[in-house]
């Protein structure tokens, strides 16, 4: 599950980095670059951390993907930071699917990590 979680985090970050290279600029471009960096850092954390730190990384990863999807939904509905998004924009439907799956994967991973017996 940790490997699958890392793949999801890399996919979420990769989508945002692709959009920057595809021409998204300004404030949104900066936020997308930060999203890509956060996805990479969290993916590495999911692979290398153990014990309590892994639990923290799992929780942060889940919250990260939830926040990313929530930001997209807000941009699609009422707007976010003055940005209104449309379903026809590049990778929007795919992003919703990937991030929704990511929430499920990371929720399961978080539960597994937090329920695992602690090493003394």
């Amino acid at each position: 599950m940790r490997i699958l979680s890392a793949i999801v985090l890399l996919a979420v970050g990769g989508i945002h980095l692709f959009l920057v290279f595809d021409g998204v600029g300004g404030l949104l471009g900066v936020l997308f670059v930060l999203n890509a960096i956060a996805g990479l850092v969290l993916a590495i954390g999911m692979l290398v951390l153990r014990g309590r730190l892994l639990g923290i990384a799992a929780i942060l990863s889940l919250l990260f993907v939830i926040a990313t999807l929530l930001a997209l939904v807000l941009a699609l509905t009422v707007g976010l930071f003055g940005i209104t998004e449309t379903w026809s924009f590049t990778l929007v439907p795919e992003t919703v699917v990937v991030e929704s799956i990511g929430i499920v994967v990371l929720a399961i991973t978080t539960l597994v990590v937090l329920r695992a017996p602690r090493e003394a």
Side-chain angles (χ1 to χ4, degrees), residues 44-112:
I44 292 170
M46 290 299 296
L47 296 175
V48 302
L49 296 175
R50 301 282 185 259
R52 186 177 307 252
L53 290 177
L54 177 58
I56 293 169
I59 292 168
L60 289 175
S61 296
L62 177 59
L63 293 174
F64 166 72
V65 177
I66 290 171
T68 301
L69 181 58
L70 181 60
L72 178 56
V73 169
L74 286 173
L76 285 167
T77 55
V78 296
L80 182 65
F81 302 124
I83 299 164
T84 304
E85 198 57 73
T86 63
W87 277 101
S88 61
F89 190 73
T90 308
L91 295 180
V92 168
E94 294 86 351
T95 302
V96 170
V97 171
V98 168
E99 291 175 354
S100 297
I101 292 169
I103 289 171
V104 173
V105 168
L106 287 162
I108 293 169
T109 303
T110 301
L111 288 174
V112 168

